[in-house]
Amino acid sequence: MNASAEADIKSRSYEYKPCPEQGGAQADHPVIVIGAGPVGLATSIDLAQSGVKVVVLDDDNTLSNGSRAICFSKRTLEIFDRLGCGQPMVDKGVIWKTGKVFFQDNPVYEFDLLPDTAYRRPAFVNLQQYYCEVYLLDRAKDLPNLEIRWKNRLVGLEEVKDSVVLTVETPDGEYKTRAKWIVACDGGRSTTRQLMGLESKGNIFKDRFLIADIKMPAEFPPERWFWFDPPFHPGQSVLLHKQPDDVWRIDFQLGWDADPVAEREPEKVIPRVKALLGQDAEFTLEWVSVYTFVCMRMDKFRHGRVIFAGDAAHGVSPFGARGANSGVQDAENIAWKLRYVLDGKAPDSLLDTYDDERVYAADENILNSTRSTDFITPKNQASMDFRNATLELARDFPFAQRHVNSGRLSVPAVLATSALNTADIDAFGGILAPGAVAADAPVEEGGRDGWLLDMLGDSFSLVIFADEKSDVRVPKSEELAEFAQTVGPLSVLVVAPKGGLKQDVPKGYRVVTDIDGHAAKRYDGKAGTTYLMRPDQHVCARFRKFDAKAVRAALLRATCNA
Amino acid sequence: MSATALKTQPNIDRPDDFYQMLVDAHRDLSPEQSRLVNSKLILLLANHVGDISVLSEALEAARKGVAPNAATTAH
């Protein structure tokens, strides 16, 4: 991309337009989302593309200022694929999966986050947050039932009977509107949270970090490099990441005593960067920020008709890429549940399972993030000693490499304790226990290459493994119709072994071929193996053979209708 | 009876030899270098033991009777 196209994207602004309520129209929206960042946009697109009308309020009309979130994980990209905007993110992003850790002068070890390459999406792409937002906004434009109201600031909120009345401030003054459900995705300093007098609580870490995003042509590989106590920044840690457009993220640990204002000044930043890159390195500063962080969360993410997602609900340190990625996973968790409740297919207690599942995931993220922080910023002499001992041992001994913690990079939580899961009654191997995110796999459909996750419907799906010799039981059309009456449509995907499907299946069932056996391996799929997937592509039940009664019970359970 | 996994009866053949080896390992080291050696030793032995319940018992036994100083914990 040339420089002017880049500048054009970064400076994009979106037009404020008066809405019908400002002319006195009465409104009762199904869902209002607060905040048009990655989490708010993902929630809105998910709802709108599955038929729910959404209004998004954003107090600003520009994109994210600075790069901010940059590492988008495989699961987040798979979610963006389902939302119809994964490809531009991957096309623009810097693909990476390997990293190196250094201690003082020496490389300590290298890691590979996704050695198995038979996946559609890589372990990570690095992409400036503003690009992520642009691609989500481009996708949002295609959806006529998604309305974004820029320069609409939430200033009041009150639950009245069966809806929430919002007071919104605009350049033309205030107006009132109403919605059945509010999803608050308005970030770490959430206005919604403050208006409701709620808190997000946790541990403050007494350390400061400098982010310097610099622009320079350089030949470093697209890897995550992390230094502990390097000669060019003694006693502290440094992280280097590649971003698109020749931009490099450098994260310098500064210590608690650093002056957050002075450290932002170019005369302080430039020498730090030159210490890393060499005195004659040529670069320009793109974005500079000094930050501290808190690992925290709200006690509950659902408060009546208001549901919190992303940084508004929970915060972590940036080491591990668990902020934006967990927020997008919140989005896909809440979107289908709101849709089922609004459509009358589930009671509103389904929304409490958002709280259970995402609090569980947030705790997992906070735990990982806290442990990384304790390794990067040891709190006392003993933990500093163990940290340095670990790094020294890691050069020679594989066991110690597993203790090195420069950030445990985001993988989706396995919602193993969710009330929506049906416990296994049959024996299974592999990692796809109920609560896990479905694994992708390369498949072929009608002679064309594709990916398994793309073949799942936007409602519940059955994935059934066929056999090369005998017929396996698949649901009859009338059984499917009966399910549909209970909890909405259910799609069926039949996975045939190499050589194709040998049995007849009802019309409308998708049939794919497991070209290299990856699906069978990842799902421990044998003849007849049946997985029930939620709309957010999580496994909620699995059986060694299809049984209508068992599947019906699992569906009722997964929608709080049991 | 609660199964205790940590061996607390004598288990080293030549205890005096071992004790001397332990002390010798720190000969001529500064206190800072000694701390590093001790930390590495703990990590090496912990990995050799492997069993997290044994490690947990050992940690508990090591900390027994060592009371935190109120002044250093209140922050």
Side-chain angles (χ1 to χ4, degrees):
Chain A
M1 181 177 300
N2 61 42
S4 70
E6 239 180 87
D8 167 61
I9 282 195
K10 276 193 272 184
S11 63
R12 244 188 231 193
S13 69
Y14 295 83
E15 195 190 349
Y16 159 76
K17 283 186 209 135
C19 64
E21 288 97 310
Q22 286 166 279
Q26 294 290 311
D28 194 359
H29 300 284
V31 182
I32 291 181
V33 171
I34 314 296
V39 181
L41 290 171
T43 307
S44 314
I45 293 168
D46 211 340
L47 285 163
Q49 75 175 14
S50 56
V52 179
K53 215 164 162 271
V54 193
V55 170
V56 185
L57 306 181
D58 194 277
D59 61 1
D60 194 15
N61 69 332
T62 56
L63 298 170
S64 155
N65 169 31
S67 323
R68 293 169 68 182
I70 58 162
C71 299
F72 294 92
S73 72
K74 172 168 162 291
R75 179 58 197 156
T76 298
L77 295 170
E78 289 166 356
I79 295 169
F80 288 155
D81 281 335
R82 195 171 52 72
L83 300 182
C85 55
Q87 198 55 48
M89 310 255 185
V90 177
D91 289 344
K92 180 71 192 174
V94 173
I95 293 171
W96 69 274
K97 63 170 190 152
T98 54
K100 289 194 177 83
V101 174
F102 304 86
F103 179 42
Q104 296 164 351
D105 282 321
N106 305 298
V108 171
Y109 85 110
E110 299 176 22
F111 58 83
D112 184 338
L113 296 168
L114 194 62
D116 182 350
T117 54
Y119 286 97
R120 181 180 189 186
R121 295 309 180 199
F124 282 93
V125 303
N126 285 353
L127 186 68
Q128 292 91 330
Q129 184 169 329
Y130 45 79
Y131 279 119
C132 173
E133 290 176 1
V134 160
Y135 301 136
L136 286 162
L137 287 164
D138 285 348
R139 167 62 181 144
K141 267 194 298 210
D142 302 338
L143 298 164
N145 54 352
L146 197 173
E147 178 194 349
I148 305 179
R149 297 181 181 175
W150 302 102
K151 292 196 164 195
N152 274 235
R153 180 190 299 273
L154 181 70
V155 293
L157 171 145
E158 190 188 1
E159 198 167 322
V160 180
K161 279 189 196 154
D162 292 335
S163 50
V164 185
V165 175
L166 304 182
T167 309
V168 183
E169 189 185 86
T170 73
D172 295 329
E174 285 185 4
Y175 71 91
K176 281 195 191 297
T177 187
R178 186 183 269 269
K180 285 272 169 286
W181 301 99
I182 305 296
V183 187
C185 311
D186 47 355
R189 287 185 283 268
S190 170
T191 303
T192 315
R193 205 175 64 214
Q194 286 164 26
L195 288 171
M196 294 176 73
L198 298 168
E199 280 184 295
S200 189
K201 286 176 287 191
N203 291 319
I204 298 168
F205 290 88
K206 290 196 168 176
D207 206 343
R208 295 185 200 281
F209 293 83
L210 165 72
I211 286 181
D213 276 357
I214 62 162
K215 196 168 171 105
M216 61 166 183
E219 296 301 318
F220 303 122
E223 295 180 331
R224 180 185 197 263
W225 286 7
F226 197 103
W227 289 268
F228 290 98
D229 191 18
F232 57 84
H233 192 57
Q236 309 282 11
S237 65
V238 178
L239 173 63
L240 178 73
H241 259 302
K242 184 177 185 177
Q243 300 175 55
D245 304 335
D246 291 325
V247 175
W248 297 80
R249 159 73 50 93
I250 314 176
D251 205 315
F252 294 95
Q253 185 184 23
L254 298 178
W256 183 238
D257 296 332
D259 178 340
V261 177
E263 287 293 346
R264 252 193 302 257
E265 295 303 319
E267 60 264 31
K268 293 283 278 184
V269 177
I270 288 168
R272 293 200 189 284
V273 176
K274 284 192 165 171
L276 164 63
L277 297 173
Q279 289 309 314
D280 41 1
E282 286 184 28
F283 58 88
T284 53
L285 295 177
E286 276 279 296
W287 181 59
V288 173
S289 170
V290 173
Y291 67 92
T292 56
F293 54 78
V294 183
C295 284
M296 61 183 180
R297 70 165 170 87
M298 299 176 71
D299 285 339
K300 288 169 48 177
F301 298 169
R302 179 189 175 191
H303 291 264
R305 295 189 163 269
V306 182
I307 292 136
F308 291 84
D311 285 355
H314 45 76
V316 288
S317 83
F319 301 101
R322 288 169 181 269
N325 288 309
S326 70
V328 172
Q329 287 156 34
D330 291 346
E332 73 158 355
N333 192 293
I334 192 59
W336 75 269
K337 291 175 182 175
L338 273 177
R339 166 163 56 110
Y340 273 64
V341 171
L342 281 161
D343 289 350
K345 297 197 180 85
D348 84 10
S349 57
L350 183 61
L351 303 177
D352 291 328
T353 69
Y354 165 80
D355 196 90
D356 295 340
E357 293 181 345
R358 296 315 297 170
V359 163
Y360 175 87
D363 283 345
E364 185 175 297
N365 286 318
I366 287 170
L367 178 68
N368 277 290
S369 176
T370 302
R371 287 174 171 176
S372 303
T373 308
D374 286 343
F375 196 87
I376 294 164
T377 308
K379 283 203 201 68
N380 54 41
Q381 190 62 56
S383 58
M384 176 66 92
D385 290 347
F386 282 123
R387 203 278 299 272
N388 291 342
T390 299
L391 288 166
E392 289 215 356
L393 291 169
R395 274 200 294 270
D396 300 322
F397 302 112
F399 87 87
Q401 295 174 359
R402 302 222 351 218
H403 293 311
V404 174
N405 192 341
S406 69
R408 297 279 181 244
L409 286 145
S410 174
V411 284
V414 175
L415 308 171
T417 59
S418 172
L420 304 185
N421 295 339
T422 297
D424 285 342
I425 41 166
D426 303 320
F428 274 93
I431 51 159
L432 292 184
V437 171
D440 205 0
V443 292
E444 196 185 87
E445 187 189 42
R448 282 213 314 264
D449 289 341
W451 294 92
L452 190 145
L453 289 184
D454 261 358
M455 314 287 172
L456 300 177
D458 63 359
S459 297
F460 282 83
S461 311
L462 281 172
V463 176
I464 302 175
F465 286 80
D467 187 24
E468 47 207 7
K469 294 179 217 92
S470 53
D471 286 7
V472 304
R473 173 88 158 83
V474 298
K476 301 185 188 96
S477 307
E478 54 271 28
E479 286 167 335
L480 219 55
E482 201 266 345
F483 292 145
Q485 282 192 341
T486 329
V487 291
L490 176 72
S491 63
V492 179
L493 178 69
V494 180
V495 181
K498 199 170 182 161
L501 190 65
K502 301 289 193 292
Q503 70 184 92
D504 290 329
V505 296
K507 240 175 107 179
Y509 292 13
R510 281 184 100 153
V511 177
V512 294
T513 303
D514 185 15
I515 349 169
D516 297 313
H518 289 291
K521 194 168 156 221
R522 288 169 193 164
Y523 286 80
D524 187 21
K526 302 188 167 69
T529 296
T530 299
Y531 277 76
L532 179 62
M533 306 291 190
R534 307 182 345 184
D536 58 4
Q537 302 182 337
H538 282 64
V539 175
C540 61
R542 54 182 181 172
F543 309 95
R544 280 301 179 192
K545 64 175 200 280
F546 173 80
D547 174 83
K549 245 176 88 179
V551 167
R552 185 172 192 281
L555 270 169
L556 291 175
R557 190 176 176 82
T559 48
C560 288
N561 283 304
Chain B
M1 193 189 103
S2 73
T4 142
L6 181 69
K7 289 177 185 159
T8 53
Q9 291 302 314
N11 192 42
I12 297 173
D13 281 348
R14 293 157 20 227
D16 289 347
D17 288 352
F18 164 70
Y19 200 88
Q20 187 185 345
M21 283 157 65
L22 189 60
V23 173
D24 284 351
H26 291 271
R27 195 189 303 136
D28 303 330
L29 298 185
S30 69
E32 193 177 311
Q33 289 171 317
S34 271
R35 287 203 321 262
L36 180 63
V37 169
N38 277 338
S39 302
K40 287 165 85 170
L41 185 63
I42 291 168
L43 291 166
L44 283 161
L45 294 176
N47 183 66
H48 182 84
V49 170
D51 184 337
I52 196 139
S53 63
V54 176
L55 296 172
S56 161
E57 261 188 77
L59 284 165
E60 204 179 313
R63 186 160 164 124
K64 199 175 168 188
V66 184
N69 181 335
T72 58
T73 54
H75 62 261

